[in-house]
Amino acid sequence: MSLAIGDLRTDEIEAAVALWEEAGLTRPWNDPRADIALALGKPNSTVLAGRLEGALVATAMAGSDGHRGWVYYLGVAGPHRGNGFGAAMMRASADWLKARGAPKLHVMIRSENAAVMKFYARLGYENSDTITMARKL
Ligand SMILES: CC(C)(COP(=O)(O)OP(=O)(O)OC[C@H]1O[C@@H](n2cnc3c(N)ncnc32)[C@H](O)[C@@H]1OP(=O)(O)O)[C@@H](O)C(=O)NCCC(=O)NCCS
């Protein structure tokens, strides 16, 4: 079955948050609904939804910062993993960012989730050997 990918609809927000919680992508200090409101349907950012027969089974948040593209909240619902949907969401995110002029795509991986590097490596991503630092604004 092939995945239909498009912008997340507002009536799918709760399903997206549930998917992120199940996939271990949420953190107590990030409000996922606020993150969606900030990114969804903007000129330089969106949240992509992957649907199987209308049901949300995958997400990816894509955004271009004016220099590079980034993907956050990549998740595939547990029972649907291993079917190429994660790869399809990354391809769709790359296409979305490329269409907006981003020359390169980065992903941030939490150190406790380093095992997922193998997934990205399979898709041709390389370790960019950088350290990200952050502060609240
Ligand atoms: C990571 C994730 C999105 C992968 O989705 P998926 O649909 O299962 O991945 P795919 O089926 O598209 O896999 C694509 C390729 O990567 C490989 N792969 C997937 N997950 C892997 C893993 N954990 N370790 C090694 N290889 C992996 C697959 O075997 C496949 O290889 P193939 O091309 O040889 O068949 C999914 O496991 C997930 O939602 N994880 C929890 C959330 C998460 O960690 N997100 C990333 C945050 S940075």
Side-chain angles (χ1 to χ4, degrees):
M1 225 180 301
S2 74
L3 198 64
I5 302 177
D7 281 334
L8 187 79
R9 299 189 312 261
T10 50
D11 63 303
E12 294 173 317
I13 289 174
E14 289 312 311
V17 172
L19 192 159
W20 293 355
E21 282 169 354
E22 184 242 272
L25 293 169
T26 53
R27 289 296 178 276
W29 54 88
N30 283 342
D31 175 350
R33 293 169 188 83
D35 287 352
I36 292 173
L38 206 55
L40 185 57
K42 303 280 166 62
N44 288 323
S45 64
T46 196
V47 182
L48 295 177
R51 303 181 190 99
L52 269 189
E53 294 178 336
L56 185 79
V57 299
T59 64
M61 179 184 284
S64 172
D65 62 16
H67 180 51
R68 286 174 177 168
W70 290 84
V71 169
Y72 301 92
Y73 287 116
L74 172 73
V76 175
H80 297 286
R81 290 185 194 158
N83 292 315
F85 297 157
M89 294 306 289
M90 286 306 294
R91 273 197 304 274
S93 301
D95 289 347
W96 196 96
L97 290 162
K98 215 170 157 185
R100 282 151 188 85
K104 199 170 178 186
L105 168 47
H106 287 250
V107 292
M108 239 183 256
I109 299 172
R110 291 182 193 281
S111 44
E112 75 255 23
N113 197 20
V116 83
M117 285 173 77
K118 288 186 182 153
F119 161 76
Y120 290 110
R122 192 77 192 89
L123 306 189
Y125 289 70
E126 294 171 340
N127 188 340
S128 64
D129 196 22
T130 53
I131 294 170
T132 56
M133 295 176 69
R135 58 161 291 186
K136 285 195 187 298
L137 300 177

